[in-house]
Structures are given as structure tokens and as C-alpha cells.
Amino acid sequence: KAGVTQTPRYLIKTRGQQVTLSCSPISGHRSVSWYQQTPGQGLQFLFEYFSETQRNKGNFPGRFSGRQFSNSRSEMNVSTLELGDSALYLCASSLSLAEETQYFGPGTRLLVL
Amino acid sequence: AQSVSQHNHHVILSEAASLELGCNYSYGGTVNLFWYVQYPGQHLQLLLKYFSGDPLVKGIKGFEAEFIKSKFSFNLRKPSVQWSDTAEYFCAVNELTGGGNKLTFGTGTQLKVEL
């Protein structure tokens, strides 16, 4: 089975712009979660989607949003980018919401200038 | 709020030395526990997990971890490390509140194995 895929792998944006990142889960997995990884804050949970609905949300401002499509693919959007949004954004998929193992993608590295 | 502590931030070992990385969590209820590894230039990979049953779990590449409920700990061990074990290791916890798959991660331990 193919693993979790994320596009694009690298992205450079400037402050104030918005960005959309994409994630395709492992085939058959219906839950998709997003995490932000930075040197200062480590790995932090952003949100989880299942059946096109947000099921869990971390402590991030409303500028961070996401959605999930009927084929379980997910996108996350960050509006009005700030320098501090520079990070590696990781997507993880799992079979369901039943508190299972998450498998991570390679991430999208976002640099905000 | 749930927190996960990894007390060793940087560890340097010689090949064949034994490894133990500490992980403690704060949640008093039922949890699922994980160790993930991130090799240089690669994505996070699952090393091992504990859901229930035998508190001593074995993972890939000779790693094992022991869940001690009374100590809220899930320490990672390997009897003899190899140069290829150089990586960053993350402990993660999922509180079983019926709320899905939200992982709380520790800050990570950077392991360097010298030849």
C-alpha cells in the first residue's frame, strides 16, 4: 500500500498570504489529522477530520482551517500567514476515529518570509 | 491538559551501548502509547505501540518499551544500538476519551550513535 502523501513538499510564501496544503491518506483510511512541527514548540496537533467533519481541534487560531473530501483526502489552509507559521506540517491517517495508530506523511515544509 | 515529558533531549552513545529513553505522561485515565522515530531526512515512522495487554511491547529494529502504569511511564529500550539508530525519537500519548486520534507528543530525544 502506498503511504500518506502530501503536496507540495516545500513552499515559500510571504507574510499576509494564504496557503493550502494537501494530504492523501493511506488507501482505506478515513481519518486524517494534521500536526505542526517547529523547533521551538515541537509537534502540535492541529485538527482531525473524519467523514468530512472536523472531530478534534487543537489550540491554534482560526487562521488555521481544514476540510476533508468524500474520498478522505484532506486539505488544510492557513490564511494571513505570519512568520511564526514557518514549520513542517505533517498529515497523519488512521483507519477510523477509534483511537488507533496514526501513520505520518513526509510533511510540507512551509517557509514564510 | 495532557503533557508528555522526555527528559533526555540529546543522547550520545557508542555502538553496542545500551539505550534507555524516558517518557512520562500526565493523564490519569486510559491511554494508548506510542514511540515514533524520525531518521535524518525521513518522515515519522512508528517504532512501537501499547494499547493493552502485556506491558512489555516489542517494536521494529530490536526496540522495546515497558508501560508502567503506576509511574505513568513508557520508557524505550534497546540492548545494543547501531550507528543506523541515529535519529530523533518521540514519545506520544493518546487519551482514550472517545475523542479520536489526537496525539500529544513529547519534545523528542535526539540520539547520536558514534562508531
Side-chain angles (χ1 to χ4, degrees), chain A residues 16-27:
Chain A
Q17 287 187 310
Q18 76 164 16
V19 67
T20 299
L21 313 180
S22 182
C23 170
S24 292
I26 292 171
S27 178

Side-chain angles (χ1 to χ4, degrees), chain A residues 73-88:
Chain A
R73 191 177 68 84
S74 177
E75 289 181 346
M76 68 163 280
N77 184 78
V78 188
S79 62
T80 320
L81 284 165
E82 300 176 0
L83 296 179
D85 297 331
S86 294
L88 182 66

